[in-house]
Amino acid sequence: MTTTAGTTSAVPTVPSVTDDTFAAEVLASDLPVLVDFTAAWCPPCRMIAPVLEEIAVEEAHRLRIVQLDVDSNPATQAAYGVMSMPTLLLFRGGEPVKVMVGARPKRRLLQELADVV
């Protein structure tokens, strides 16, 4: 959630997608989309969540970030062979162009995305 002057907006900075909404929200996007394959039971997923929220706000003009809960959405997880959480999969033009597995600091993540965003 984003906060402004002590108020919380109803729009999360990193919205969730599902098996049902993945094609429309990710594959059909005009912007590159970084999908965070995550799970509630995953400590590294919780570690990277604030990093992804910051980047989602700062890079909103050129990158969209969404999350997909693998426990609730096994079809998409299986379709892309995601075995470890967190897995960050960058889509551009409906195709996966980069895979990053594991939590990482903001600076490193931005460096890894620089050549494909």
Side-chain angles (χ1 to χ4, degrees):
M1 300 273 180
T2 56
T3 58
T4 307
T7 61
T8 302
S9 77
V11 179
T13 53
V14 179
S16 294
V17 295
T18 66
D19 286 343
D20 293 335
T21 63
F22 190 83
E25 297 289 328
V26 176
L27 303 181
S29 177
D30 292 334
L31 287 175
V33 182
L34 183 65
V35 180
D36 173 24
F37 288 83
T38 188
W41 48 261
C42 166
C45 297
R46 290 191 296 273
M47 289 172 49
I48 199 168
V51 170
L52 294 173
E53 290 201 16
E54 285 181 28
I55 294 172
V57 170
E58 294 168 7
E59 301 293 330
H61 62 287
R62 65 184 191 137
L63 175 69
R64 185 159 185 255
I65 300 177
V66 298
Q67 64 182 357
L68 183 127
D69 182 307
V70 296
D71 292 328
S72 303
N73 300 283
T76 304
Q77 175 192 3
Y80 292 99
V82 173
M83 302 298 287
S84 300
M85 272 41 82
T87 291
L88 304 173
L89 194 50
L90 182 70
F91 288 81
R92 188 171 49 201
E95 297 295 324
V97 295
K98 186 162 189 104
V99 178
M100 297 161 282
V101 178
R104 59 219 340 106
K106 180 179 175 182
R107 184 177 68 183
R108 180 172 160 213
L109 181 54
L110 287 171
Q111 288 170 341
E112 291 179 85
L113 291 172
D115 62 334
V116 288
V117 173

